[in-house]
């Protein structure tokens, strides 16, 4: 079955360390996204990519970085510059740019930084 | 700037009762509207969407929503809920900007179905 795979499901890191979250899709979608979810705040867009080798900052990109070297992969790095990194991170994809075609989501990675 | 307001953070309801989850948005241009559902520790799944046409939209699991342009609302309804409907529901609105659409999510409404 086609879908989006995020790994790991749970991730624990010490403060000051960079950490990379994996996102792979086999839906052949052009667009991919990273969202951050905090209780009571809905989803906030971190980065998105509409095509390979191109990506754009979302609303809360500070302290994060991404790459899009392959169509099926869109890893997110949470750097030590992110002041409050503990959150639930969701990766999504769509056939076209955001807001027209529905988003398909992975099951998320819960990151805890202590 | 567009915004999405989900008026209730939590909605408790008994099994087999009807439910309405409210969503209002602000936008000065045409919009596309979505409802997503999230079960615990999972990603979001699309329930239904409004792009154009009939203002009453039917989705999966017996849910429906009505687009009301004059009231800028897109409330989600189900005539009879089940325990399995317990989840968090997100309204999302997309508006066309000069450089592509922007999708904004509401803060979510937790639906708790009690037996």
């Amino acid at each position: 079955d086609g879908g989006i795979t995020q790994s790991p499901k749970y991730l624990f890191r010490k403060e000051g360390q960079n950490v990379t979250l994996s996102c792979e899709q086999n839906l052949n979608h052009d667009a991919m996204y990273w969202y951050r979810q905090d209780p009571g705040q809905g989803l906030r867009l971190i980065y998105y990519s509409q095509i390979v080798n191109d990506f754009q900052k979302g609303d809360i990109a500070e302290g994060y970085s991404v790459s899009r070297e392959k169509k099926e992969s869109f890893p997110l790095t949470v750097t030590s510059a992110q002041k409050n990194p503990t959150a639930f991170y969701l990766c999504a994809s769509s056939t076209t740019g955001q807001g027209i075609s529905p988003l398909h989501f992975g099951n998320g990675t819960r990151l805890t930084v202590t | 700037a567009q915004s999405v307001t989900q008026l209730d953070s939590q909605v408790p309801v008994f099994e087999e009762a009807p439910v309405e989850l409210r969503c209002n948005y602000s936008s000065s241009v045409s919009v596309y509207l979505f409802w997503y559902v999230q079960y615990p520790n999972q990603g979001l799944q699309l329930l239904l969407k409004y792009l154009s046409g009939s203002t009453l939209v039917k989705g999966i699991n017996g849910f429906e929503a009505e687009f009301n342009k004059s009231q800028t609302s897109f409330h989600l309804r189900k005539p009879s809920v089940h325990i399995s409907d317990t989840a968090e529901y997100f309204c999302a609105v997309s508006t066309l900007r000069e450089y592509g659409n922007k999708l904004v999510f509401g803060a979510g409404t937790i639906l708790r179905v009690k037996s």
Side-chain angles (χ1 to χ4, degrees):
Chain A
D1 285 341
I4 298 181
T5 301
Q6 289 188 243
S7 61
K9 190 173 178 66
Y10 299 96
L11 191 52
F12 298 90
R13 280 294 182 270
K14 296 288 188 185
E15 204 172 296
Q17 293 179 334
N18 291 355
V19 60
T20 297
L21 282 59
S22 170
C23 177
E24 303 278 332
Q25 56 104 354
N26 60 4
L27 298 166
N28 200 32
H29 285 170
D30 287 317
M32 296 188 74
Y33 315 84
W34 275 104
Y35 287 92
R36 172 181 171 138
Q37 185 177 17
D38 297 284
Q41 295 194 46
L43 276 69
R44 293 181 290 168
L45 183 64
I46 304 172
Y47 267 99
Y48 65 99
S49 168
Q50 305 218 69
I51 197 169
V52 174
N53 292 323
D54 185 56
F55 48 82
Q56 306 294 330
K57 292 182 179 180
D59 299 318
I60 56 164
E62 185 175 349
Y64 300 98
S65 65
V66 293
S67 63
R68 186 88 187 275
E69 297 176 2
K70 299 185 295 183
K71 186 175 185 177
E72 58 270 23
S73 178
F74 192 41
L76 173 75
T77 296
V78 184
T79 75
S80 57
Q82 168 50 232
K83 295 177 182 176
N84 186 19
T86 294
F88 190 50
Y89 290 88
L90 287 163
C91 180
S93 70
S94 66
T95 54
T96 60
Q98 62 171 323
I100 301 177
S101 54
L103 299 178
H104 296 253
F105 284 86
N107 281 330
T109 292
R110 190 168 297 281
L111 173 65
T112 302
V113 177
T114 58
Chain B
Q2 71 193 82
S3 66
V4 181
T5 302
Q6 291 186 241
L7 295 156
D8 305 294
S9 60
Q10 293 198 37
V11 173
V13 63
F14 284 104
E15 195 172 17
E16 297 183 9
V19 71
E20 178 179 82
L21 306 183
R22 296 178 293 169
C23 173
N24 284 87
Y25 66 91
S26 64
S27 175
S28 58
V29 298
S30 296
V31 296
Y32 304 123
L33 298 154
F34 306 83
W35 275 99
Y36 287 86
V37 59
Q38 184 180 33
Y39 299 102
N41 294 313
Q42 292 187 24
L44 280 68
Q45 301 173 32
L46 180 70
L47 269 181
L48 49 79
K49 63 182 185 286
Y50 171 79
L51 302 181
S52 64
S54 173
T55 56
L56 183 62
V57 180
K58 294 191 183 297
I60 62 171
N61 301 339
F63 283 93
E64 64 180 32
E66 185 158 20
F67 170 51
N68 188 319
K69 188 174 181 179
S70 63
Q71 297 187 7
T72 60
S73 68
F74 191 55
H75 301 333
L76 181 70
R77 302 186 183 101
K78 186 169 183 178
S80 175
V81 296
H82 303 290
I83 294 288
S84 60
D85 291 323
T86 295
E88 189 161 16
Y89 292 78
F90 292 92
C91 181
V93 177
S94 169
T95 56
L96 182 63
R97 300 183 304 172
E98 185 177 355
Y99 297 108
N101 287 17
K102 179 177 174 61
L103 184 65
V104 176
F105 284 87
T109 297
I110 296 173
L111 174 64
R112 298 190 192 280
V113 181
K114 302 177 287 185
S115 58

